[in-house]
């Protein structure tokens, strides 16, 4: 454009010069002046005609249905303007290409073989493409809804919730949140996710999947150990729970194996037969791979008329060991109480039953304790089944002793008089302390990731502590530092010296009785195997040849132990890993030691998992749902395996409801 402008300007100047040359010379000076003025004015006028270049606004092109004859449809993707999409190659062109010439050029250059095809041909291509997009979108939504349904069911089962919770609580809450944050259309997609029947089906499917995963691992021939326990539910149905422990990947895994419903009149042989049918017949496991069986020592399992454990040991060719639950043994050993102290415990239970047995008394005591600002406002029931019951009930009664005394006095109960007896209160303080200590020991035995060496050390440490306390009380200057509530009561009250001596003798008698019962239930003979294999607990304690020779290992094992104890890298692993994980990790480099140590650590030491299982069973089978089979819910709630969601989604289509 610039060169056209200057060319036009040059022509004007030439014409003007020619006009000037043809004029008279008289007027030369005047014309000369005029020429300059005109020239200036022309330049100014020429400059005033200088063009202003503005970008021409191009309107967006719109798709026309006639473009289908060239094989193009309107792209469904959310672009700002219409864009053509080829139904043959699915290429998407720019909005500027919405011209018949450009669309035709694409057909001729890219799909020359389709030139001349009728409109119906491209119409069929369009219909196929539309149906494919619809089915693809529906499938994606269906898969997401299916996965969501499984996830909701899994969470419901893990939390031991009623199946109706998904439809009555979870789904409405999700609809409210999605509708609020997004829109109604998004919320409507959630309505197909869950219902009561869907959740039940999903839980059953997940349970079958988890059972299959577990059995696939156990059927591979690996060693395992089991713990079993029996209990009776509210419907007087006897249930046996079985848990399994096995080595998987880099550590031990513990999982729920099975639940068996046994009628009360079945004999021990019948119970064994049911276990045999399930574990060997249904699950196809080999008893020879079972390296440990743990039970609570109840007569229905271990009694001379039952012989369930004896039959289990026989089918394993005595290649397994039976462990009596440490927690059960500790509870049995703690039951032996001298008669005078037992009377104190019984009276404390009577006080609790008097108050808790009446809803009015219970409410009045709670109101009274709340008004005076005590730390606790209610008492706890006593039960022989729960191991921690003794310590908890005594601790609460002792802490609220003054409030209970006032309350019983107002109620004119004869039980108020026992709180006026300082000797009774002193004995109550001692029982509160000693059962609190026993509770702490029980909790240690329940700890996760604990091995048999740790449990034995806890028991042996408590046995030595009992001996130390007896020696303290027998000395010329007895000390009561180990019983803080008892000591505090002595310091805050004036106690007759003879009375204190009598109580000291009763305490000494009780501690002696505890020592004897613990020695009986945890005899040294039962831990002989552990003493012979003490190197399993700490292989780095044997760094020289002399200490290794004393272990009575075979030469190959001695060589491996000497090499292992000399490795600083493995020592670091030993300090950070659990004992079982450490021995599994070194199985490639030290196979002899690993094969000897893993079966020693594999058996359970307690039946605490079965107790947990019975608690879950109680939640899943309340009275109004007593007829339901909670096996599937228990499997999902208690399983340690993580479901493979992709496999579950491929199993079945999402059902319509």
């Amino acid at each position: 454009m610039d060169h056209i402008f200057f060319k036009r300007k040059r022509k004007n100047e030439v014409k003007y010069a020619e006009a000037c040359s043809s004029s008279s010379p008289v007027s030369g000076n005047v014309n000369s002046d005029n020429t300059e003025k005109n020239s200036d004015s022309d330049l100014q006028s020429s400059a005033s005609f200088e063009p202003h270049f503005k970008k021409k606004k191009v309107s967006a092109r719109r798709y026309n249905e006639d473009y289908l004859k060239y094989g193009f449809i309107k792209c469904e993707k959310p672009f700002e303007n219409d864009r053509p999409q080829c139904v043959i190659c699915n290429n998407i062109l720019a909005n500027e290409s919405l011209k018949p010439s450009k669309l035709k050029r694409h057909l001729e250059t890219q799909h020359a073989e389709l030139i001349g095809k009728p409109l119906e041909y491209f119409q069929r291509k369009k219909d196929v493409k539309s149906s494919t997009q619809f089915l693809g979108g529906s499938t994606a939504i269906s898969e997401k809804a299916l996965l969501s349904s499984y996830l909701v069911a899994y969470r419901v089962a893990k939390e031991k919730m009623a199946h109706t919770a998904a439809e009555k609580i979870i789904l409405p809450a999700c609809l409210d949140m999605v509708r609020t944050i997004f829109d109604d259309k998004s919320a409507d997609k959630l309505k197909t996710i869950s219902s009561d029947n869907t959740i039940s089906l999903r839980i059953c499917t997940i349970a079958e999947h988890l059972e299959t995963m577990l059995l696939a691992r156990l059927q591979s021939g690996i060693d395992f150990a089991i713990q079993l326990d029996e209990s009776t539910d509210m419907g007087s149905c006897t249930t046996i729970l079985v848990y399994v422990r096995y080595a998987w990947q880099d550590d031990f895994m513990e999982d729920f194996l099975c639940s068996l419903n046994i009628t009360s009149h079945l004999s021990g042989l019948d119970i064994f037969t049911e276990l045999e049918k399930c574990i060997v017949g249904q699950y196809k496991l080999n008893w020879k791979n079972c390296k440990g069986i743990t039970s609570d020592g109840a007569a229905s399992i271990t009694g001379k008329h039952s012989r369930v454990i004896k039959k289990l040991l026989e089918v394993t060719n005595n290649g397994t060991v039976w462990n009596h639950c440490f927690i059960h043994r500790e509870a049995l050993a703690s039951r032996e109480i001298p008669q005078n102290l037992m009377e104190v415990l019984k009276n404390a239970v009577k006080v609790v039953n008097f108050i808790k047995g009446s809803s009015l008394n219970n409410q009045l005591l709670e109101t009274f304790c709340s008004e005076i600002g005590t730390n606790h406002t209610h008492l706890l029931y006593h039960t022989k089944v729960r191991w921690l019951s003794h310590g908890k009930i005594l601790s609460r009664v002792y802490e609220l002793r003054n409030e209970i005394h006032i309350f019983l006095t107002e109620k004119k109960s004869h039980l108020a008089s026992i709180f006026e007896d300082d000797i009774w209160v002193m004995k109550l303080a001692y029982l509160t302390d000693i059962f609190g200590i026993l509770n702490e020991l029980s909790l240690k035995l329940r700890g996760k990731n604990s091995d048999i060496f740790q449990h034995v050390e806890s028991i042996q440490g408590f046995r030595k502590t009992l001996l130390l306390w007896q020696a303290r009380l027998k000395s010329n200057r007895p000390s009561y530092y180990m019983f803080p509530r008892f000591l505090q009561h002595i310091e805050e009250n004036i106690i007759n010296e003879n009375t204190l001596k009598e109580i000291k003798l009763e305490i000494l008698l009780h501690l002696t009785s505890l020592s004897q019962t613990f020695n009986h239930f945890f005899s040294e003979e039962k831990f002989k195997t552990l003493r012979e294999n003490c190197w399993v607990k700490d292989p780095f304690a044997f760094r020289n040849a002399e200490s290794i020779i004393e272990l009575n290992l075979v030469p190959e094992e001695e060589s491996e132990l000497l090499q292992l104890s000399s490795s600083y890298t493995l020592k670091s692993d030993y300090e950070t890993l659990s004992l079982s994980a450490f021995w599994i990790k070194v199985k490639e480099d030290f196979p002899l030691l690993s094969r000897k140590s893993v079966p020693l650590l594999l058996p359970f030491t307690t039946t605490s998992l079965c107790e947990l299982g019975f608690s879950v069973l109680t939640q899943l089978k309340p009275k109004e749902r007593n007829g339901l089979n909670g096996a599937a819910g228990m499997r999902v709630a208690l399983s340690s395996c993580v479901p493979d969601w992709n496999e579950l989604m491929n199993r079945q289509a999402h059902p319509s409801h």
Side-chain angles (χ1 to χ4, degrees):
M1 294 294 292
D2 290 344
H3 73 277
I4 296 174
F5 168 74
F6 287 112
K7 186 175 181 180
R8 184 182 302 168
K9 180 180 178 183
R10 181 62 178 167
K11 286 182 178 180
N12 291 336
E13 291 176 351
V14 170
K15 290 179 181 180
Y16 182 76
E18 291 176 351
C20 291
S21 61
S22 62
S23 63
S24 60
V26 176
S27 59
N29 294 334
V30 178
N31 291 337
S32 176
D33 295 334
N34 292 335
T35 302
E36 293 178 0
K37 293 179 181 179
N38 292 334
S39 177
D40 293 337
S41 63
D42 287 341
L43 290 174
Q44 292 176 359
S45 63
S46 299
S48 66
F49 285 105
E50 185 175 351
H52 298 279
F53 302 102
K54 294 183 178 179
K55 185 176 181 180
K56 186 176 180 180
K57 185 176 181 181
V58 180
S59 59
R61 297 181 178 277
R62 304 296 298 272
Y63 177 81
N64 192 309
E65 293 295 335
D66 292 338
Y67 296 160
L68 182 59
K69 63 184 180 181
Y70 303 114
F72 280 90
I73 61 174
K74 179 183 176 182
C75 181
E76 298 296 333
K77 293 186 178 180
F79 292 112
E80 183 178 357
N81 300 317
D82 293 355
R83 297 182 64 174
Q85 182 177 16
C86 180
V87 296
I88 307 301
C89 61
N90 292 325
N91 282 348
I92 302 174
L93 306 184
N95 177 261
E96 292 79 5
S97 299
L98 277 173
K99 295 180 180 180
S101 59
K102 293 186 177 182
L103 301 180
K104 185 178 180 181
R105 186 186 308 139
H106 176 86
L107 180 64
E108 293 173 347
T109 57
Q110 302 296 328
H111 314 291
E113 72 279 3
L114 301 180
I115 297 175
K117 288 288 185 179
L119 179 63
E120 291 76 12
Y121 174 82
F122 296 108
Q123 184 65 49
R124 287 195 300 270
K125 289 289 184 180
K126 176 184 176 180
D127 295 340
V128 171
K129 182 175 180 61
S130 299
S131 61
T132 304
Q133 289 177 345
F134 174 77
L135 291 175
S138 302
T139 302
I141 295 175
S142 178
E143 288 180 353
K144 291 180 180 179
L146 179 60
L147 178 58
S148 300
S149 177
Y150 274 119
L151 293 175
V152 171
Y154 186 67
R155 191 171 294 277
V156 167
K158 277 293 184 182
E159 297 300 325
K160 283 81 72 177
M161 301 168 65
H163 296 176
T164 54
E167 189 173 10
K168 294 182 178 180
I169 301 176
I170 298 177
L171 182 57
C174 291
L175 289 173
D176 292 339
M177 290 186 287
V178 173
R179 189 178 292 112
T180 302
I181 299 175
F182 299 103
D183 49 41
D184 292 339
K185 184 177 180 181
S186 299
D188 291 340
K189 296 178 181 178
L190 300 179
K191 294 182 179 180
T192 58
I193 289 179
S194 60
S195 67
D196 188 11
N197 293 334
T198 304
I199 294 299
S200 300
L201 292 173
R202 295 288 178 263
I203 291 176
C204 291
T205 304
I206 295 173
E208 293 175 1
H209 171 67
L210 293 174
E211 184 180 57
T212 302
M213 289 180 63
L214 175 62
L215 295 181
R217 297 175 181 181
L218 297 177
Q219 290 171 357
S220 62
I222 60 176
D223 293 337
F224 63 90
I226 63 172
Q227 65 168 269
L228 54 94
D229 197 2
E230 58 89 18
S231 183
T232 303
D233 62 12
M234 291 176 290
S236 300
C237 177
T238 300
T239 303
I240 293 181
L241 298 185
V242 183
Y243 274 78
V244 64
R245 175 188 283 173
Y246 57 96
W248 184 252
Q249 294 180 347
D250 56 355
D251 205 350
F252 286 162
M253 287 282 290
E254 298 171 350
D255 211 333
F256 173 70
L257 182 59
C258 63
S259 172
L260 303 177
N261 294 325
I262 308 294
T263 55
S264 57
H265 64 275
L266 288 182
S267 64
L269 181 60
D270 295 327
I271 294 176
F272 167 76
T273 303
E274 292 297 322
L275 284 171
E276 183 84 1
K277 287 180 181 178
C278 178
I279 296 178
V280 178
Q282 180 180 350
Y283 291 163
K284 310 299 181 183
L285 302 183
N286 193 336
W287 281 119
K288 293 182 179 179
N289 294 327
C290 181
K291 301 302 178 183
I293 302 172
T294 304
S295 68
D296 64 355
S300 58
I301 301 296
T302 62
K304 64 181 180 180
H305 298 294
S306 175
R307 299 183 180 180
V308 174
I309 297 299
K310 183 178 180 181
K311 294 292 293 182
L312 291 175
L313 295 177
E314 288 178 357
V315 295
T316 61
N317 295 328
N318 293 321
T320 186
V321 295
W322 173 67
N323 283 334
H324 186 182
C325 173
F326 274 57
I327 299 175
H328 189 257
R329 280 192 275 177
E330 186 264 349
L332 292 175
S334 304
R335 287 184 179 179
E336 295 296 328
I337 304 176
Q339 184 62 34
N340 292 336
L341 295 178
M342 180 60 74
E343 290 298 324
V344 175
L345 177 60
K346 289 182 178 179
N347 286 331
V349 173
K350 288 180 181 179
V351 170
V352 173
N353 291 337
F354 174 78
I355 297 175
K356 298 287 287 186
S358 169
S359 58
L360 177 61
N361 289 344
N362 187 40
Q363 186 175 359
L364 290 174
L365 178 63
E366 290 186 13
T367 302
F368 174 66
C369 293
S370 299
E371 290 176 351
I372 64 177
T374 59
N375 294 330
H376 303 287
T377 59
H378 63 278
L379 299 176
L380 302 177
Y381 267 125
H382 171 263
T383 172
K384 291 183 178 180
V385 176
R386 298 171 183 165
W387 312 132
L388 306 181
S389 179
H390 280 47
K392 288 184 177 181
I393 181 181
L394 293 174
S395 175
R396 190 63 56 87
V397 171
Y398 182 78
E399 290 176 8
L400 298 176
R401 63 189 183 280
N402 296 327
E403 291 75 17
I404 294 175
H405 178 230
I406 296 173
F407 178 80
L408 294 177
T409 301
E410 292 180 353
K411 285 290 183 179
K412 297 180 180 180
S413 171
H414 69 281
L415 294 173
S417 60
I418 62 177
F419 289 92
E420 300 171 359
D421 185 359
D422 285 339
I423 297 178
W424 188 89
V425 175
M426 289 178 64
K427 293 178 181 179
L428 177 65
Y430 163 72
L431 288 177
T432 301
D433 287 327
I434 190 64
F435 280 110
I437 295 170
L438 290 171
N439 281 357
E440 292 178 1
L441 176 61
S442 180
L443 291 175
K444 286 182 180 179
L445 299 177
R446 293 171 182 266
K448 291 184 177 181
N449 301 322
S450 299
D451 55 71
I452 189 171
F453 288 97
Q454 292 175 331
H455 287 174
V456 170
E457 289 172 357
S458 297
I459 294 297
Q460 290 179 338
F462 182 72
R463 288 167 55 185
K464 293 179 180 180
T465 301
L466 289 175
L467 296 177
L468 175 62
W469 292 348
Q470 294 175 55
R472 285 287 186 184
L473 294 178
K474 290 178 181 178
S475 64
N476 296 329
R477 299 180 62 184
S479 175
Y480 303 98
Y481 70 92
M482 51 279 194
F483 310 122
R485 293 181 180 84
F486 182 79
L487 180 60
Q488 182 181 4
H489 189 83
I490 294 176
E491 294 175 346
E492 294 177 352
N493 299 274
I494 300 175
I495 307 297
N496 183 277
E497 185 176 350
N498 292 330
T499 301
L500 184 59
K501 287 183 178 179
E502 292 179 3
I503 296 177
K504 183 191 74 172
L505 292 176
E506 291 187 20
I507 294 175
L508 187 58
L509 179 62
H510 183 216
L511 295 180
T512 303
S513 175
L514 278 178
S515 293
Q516 293 174 351
T517 53
F518 267 83
N519 290 337
H520 170 71
F521 286 103
F522 298 97
S523 62
E524 291 293 335
E525 182 64 25
K526 295 181 179 180
F527 304 136
K528 180 180 179 181
T529 303
L530 296 181
R531 290 196 303 271
E532 294 175 350
N533 296 278
C534 58
W535 54 270
V536 175
K537 174 61 178 174
D538 186 6
F540 297 93
F542 305 92
R543 292 181 176 274
N544 54 68
E546 291 76 11
S547 60
I548 293 178
I549 291 176
E550 296 176 356
L551 298 175
N552 296 323
L553 300 175
V554 298
E556 293 81 2
E557 294 172 346
E558 292 178 346
S559 177
E560 285 190 2
L561 182 58
L562 186 61
Q563 294 179 23
L564 188 152
S565 61
S566 302
S567 173
Y568 290 99
T569 302
L570 293 178
K571 183 172 177 59
S572 177
D573 293 335
Y574 170 79
E575 293 172 351
T576 56
L577 299 175
S578 64
L579 195 59
S580 56
F582 171 77
W583 284 112
I584 291 175
K585 182 176 181 177
V586 302
K587 64 181 179 180
E588 298 295 334
D589 297 327
F590 305 97
L592 296 179
L593 296 181
S594 180
R595 283 198 296 266
K596 196 169 185 178
S597 57
V598 170
L600 188 65
L601 299 171
L602 188 59
F604 289 99
T605 55
T606 70
T607 57
S608 57
L609 291 179
C610 288
E611 294 178 25
L612 174 63
F614 285 123
S615 298
V616 173
L617 182 61
T618 302
Q619 291 180 261
L620 295 177
K621 292 183 65 176
K623 289 183 179 180
E624 60 271 16
R625 300 172 61 193
N626 199 37
L628 297 179
N629 182 7
M634 286 190 65
R635 171 77 60 187
V636 179
L638 299 174
S639 178
S640 300
C641 298
V642 179
D644 185 343
W645 302 114
N646 291 329
E647 181 179 341
L648 279 172
M649 290 170 62
N650 292 332
R651 268 190 170 189
Q652 64 182 70
H654 184 59
S656 59
H657 296 280

